[in-house]
Amino acid sequence: MGNNSGNIHGNGLGSRLNWLRAGVLGANDGIVSTAGLVVGVAGAQADSNALLAAGLAGLLSGSLSMASGEYVSVSTQRDSEQAALTLERAELKATPEAELQELTDLYVAKGLTPELADEVAVQLTAHDALAAHAETELGIDPAELTHPWHAALSSFLSFTVGALLPLLAIVLPSRGMRVPVTVLCVLVALMICGWGSARLGGAPPGRAISRNVVGGALAMAATYVAGVLLSASGVS
């Protein structure tokens, strides 16, 4: 197999960092989507019961949607990884010499001398031929395949935790303080999420924080204005 199909995966640490980053992004989605929903409903001057019902409905539908989407996505990725590994096993069994030469060529392409590349390829093939080809040729670690249920649960929990913040912030304060308290809490939470995602990705935090805060603020402003306009038109 000469193509570089499949997704690039790191070692166990890299995989865990990817899940942490997904958790941060899931929480961020829960914050923004639920905040936009409840602030929009508050703009229509709804009472606490309506706000709570809308927020809980948004939390449940959003978390289930995130979980099912992540399950489908990761299941497809895992199926592709397993199919690639199955094909690699068959090629190793049918043409081991050609596969050894291919592995050697890959190491030469990475910068090793032909002699060293041949020695490395022979030793790694003797140790675990499938792992050597999977990691070098496909970018797949057979011991670290993605798990759909883990991804789905992670997305469900992170979205739920994120969504709880604006939901509680909108229903607990007095009527006149609902929107200001929610906006403040959401913007602070988005700053934290932006900082966390930047740190996990090794990027400067300033830009990520700015994107998060501006995006969340625009979402809340748009839904609040929509709620006010609907209320003024007599729709609510």
Side-chain angles (χ1 to χ4, degrees):
M1 294 175 60
N3 62 324
N4 288 327
S5 60
N7 294 321
I8 303 301
H9 297 274
N11 53 22
L13 177 60
S15 179
R16 287 191 293 271
L17 288 176
N18 284 336
W19 290 125
L20 285 172
R21 189 177 296 111
V24 171
L25 295 176
N28 191 87
D29 287 344
I31 293 169
V32 174
S33 62
T34 305
L37 174 63
V38 296
V39 168
V41 175
Q45 300 179 352
D47 59 22
S48 296
N49 290 333
L51 284 171
L52 181 60
L56 286 175
L59 184 156
L60 186 59
S61 63
S63 59
L64 291 175
S65 175
M66 286 282 292
S68 62
E70 193 72 9
Y71 179 83
V72 171
S73 175
V74 175
S75 293
T76 301
Q77 178 182 336
R78 186 180 177 89
D79 290 344
S80 298
E81 291 172 338
Q82 289 179 328
L85 291 174
T86 298
L87 182 56
E88 191 64 48
R89 286 190 189 94
E91 291 185 342
L92 284 168
K93 183 177 181 180
T95 57
E97 296 82 6
E99 290 297 300
L100 177 61
Q101 183 59 52
E102 183 180 35
L103 188 60
T104 300
D105 293 340
L106 288 170
Y107 289 131
V108 170
K110 289 178 178 292
L112 298 184
T113 63
E115 295 77 13
L116 181 57
D118 180 68
E119 181 180 352
V120 170
V122 169
Q123 291 190 21
L124 289 179
T125 298
H127 175 69
D128 190 335
L130 178 62
H133 280 267
E135 293 178 8
T136 305
E137 185 179 348
L138 305 174
I140 298 174
D141 184 350
E144 293 288 340
L145 294 183
T146 50
H147 296 281
W149 284 111
H150 292 176
L153 181 60
S154 174
S155 294
F156 179 87
L157 292 177
S158 61
F159 187 98
T160 299
V161 169
L164 282 173
L165 174 67
L167 178 58
L168 294 176
I170 202 77
V171 300
L172 293 181
S174 61
R175 187 182 187 94
M177 293 299 295
R178 285 173 181 166
V179 174
V181 169
T182 302
V183 170
L184 178 62
C185 291
V186 166
L187 293 182
V188 170
L190 290 177
M191 290 176 64
I192 295 172
C193 284
W195 177 85
S197 63
R199 288 299 300 265
L200 288 171
R207 187 175 299 177
I209 291 173
S210 298
R211 285 196 299 261
N212 253 18
V213 170
V214 171
L218 289 175
M220 288 186 289
T223 55
Y224 182 76
V225 170
V228 170
L229 293 175
L230 289 172
S231 177
S233 66
V235 175
S236 61

